[in-house]
Amino acid sequence: MEKSVVEKIFDSAHKSYDSFLNFATFGLINKWQNQLISATDLKGRILDIGTGTGEIVRKLREKDKECFIYAVDLSFNMLKTAKNKVFDEKILYIRTNALKLPFKNSSLDNIFFSLVFRHLPREEITKELRRVLKQYGTVSILEIGKPESNIFYKFIHFFADRLFRPIGRLIFSKEEWDYFVESIENAMKISEIKPFFNKHGFNVKFLEKRFFGLIHLIVLEKIE
């Protein structure tokens, strides 16, 4: 998927993204995001990758009034929406590529992803996270999980591709909707999470399933 196409997808969805996400998660997305934040030991400098419409930023600011937040996204329209939603002098909105973050080595305390991690090349983004995180810094991820059962996975893929398609096509083009459905293939199984992140120098501090195991809440700590 070319960068320009990704930008186009999220630029076109900024007005309806929150409504669609609430519909697609049966209104549970806000609860999950708050649970992820509560499971994280928030410190001084926080990065939200793929900030979208700024929901994680809004919830972080409600939780901690003093932390400095960097919110990054490829989409100008998403960043504009987020900035209009939450603006103060301790939040910096940056349009950039998550694989080339404009931060010094070991400069950040916490990093958040909400339904973004699976859209990025797993090995590359994990190396970049290690680069910018301080020792014992954390990465907190809310993401779709791939079922261990292939039969259940095929059912979920069918559900997303067929049952949600009529609603999704009201917001996204065919190409854009296909991008979201295909991204499920990049989701991780619960059994893959610890081995993968341990291999890359992270300890899994918190790992819980939600919504029949289809949503994973993960908090990682950089340990070496």
Side-chain angles (χ1 to χ4, degrees), residues 106-140:
S106 304
S107 60
L108 300 173
D109 297 292
N110 308 104
I111 299 177
F112 280 84
F113 293 87
S114 180
L115 299 176
V116 173
F117 192 83
R118 75 184 189 282
H119 293 294
L120 299 165
R122 197 180 301 172
E123 297 279 345
E124 290 180 58
I125 187 59
T126 303
K127 289 178 182 178
E128 185 68 349
L129 298 178
R130 280 191 51 77
R131 182 185 71 79
V132 299
L133 264 182
K134 295 178 182 177
Q135 189 173 15
Y136 306 119
T138 61
V139 179
S140 302

Side-chain angles (χ1 to χ4, degrees), residues 49-185:
I49 294 182
T51 201
T53 61
E55 278 299 300
I56 286 287
V57 171
R58 180 178 68 80
K59 294 175 176 70
L60 285 169
R61 179 50 78 230
E62 290 174 355
K63 180 79 171 181
D64 188 330
K65 304 295 185 183
E66 299 301 320
C67 63
F68 195 97
I69 303 171
Y70 302 96
V72 306
D73 205 295
L74 273 178
S75 167
F76 175 81
N77 286 342
M78 284 290 196
L79 286 173
K80 184 177 179 181
T81 300
K83 191 173 183 178
N84 287 337
K85 183 183 291 185
V86 192
F87 177 78
D88 70 37
E89 62 183 11
K90 291 186 178 180
I91 302 174
L92 182 61
Y93 294 91
I94 307 169
R95 185 167 177 256
T96 190
N97 187 329
L99 300 178
K100 298 178 181 179
L101 294 169
F103 302 105
K104 295 180 180 179
N105 295 351
S106 304
S107 60
L108 300 173
D109 297 292
N110 308 104
I111 299 177
F112 280 84
F113 293 87
S114 180
L115 299 176
V116 173
F117 192 83
R118 75 184 189 282
H119 293 294
L120 299 165
R122 197 180 301 172
E123 297 279 345
E124 290 180 58
I125 187 59
T126 303
K127 289 178 182 178
E128 185 68 349
L129 298 178
R130 280 191 51 77
R131 182 185 71 79
V132 299
L133 264 182
K134 295 178 182 177
Q135 189 173 15
Y136 306 119
T138 61
V139 179
S140 302
I141 303 171
L142 188 165
E143 191 51 271
I144 292 173
K146 185 184 290 186
E148 299 287 342
S149 166
N150 287 332
I151 295 175
F152 193 30
Y153 171 69
K154 289 178 181 178
F155 170 76
I156 295 303
H157 195 279
F158 172 84
F159 186 78
D161 187 37
R162 303 300 176 126
L163 301 184
F164 269 107
R165 182 177 288 275
I167 303 298
R169 286 298 305 278
L170 293 175
I171 302 171
F172 307 105
S173 69
K174 180 181 183 302
E175 180 183 34
E176 293 164 356
W177 182 250
D178 287 345
Y179 169 76
F180 283 110
V181 173
E182 290 168 7
S183 74
I184 297 173
E185 181 61 33

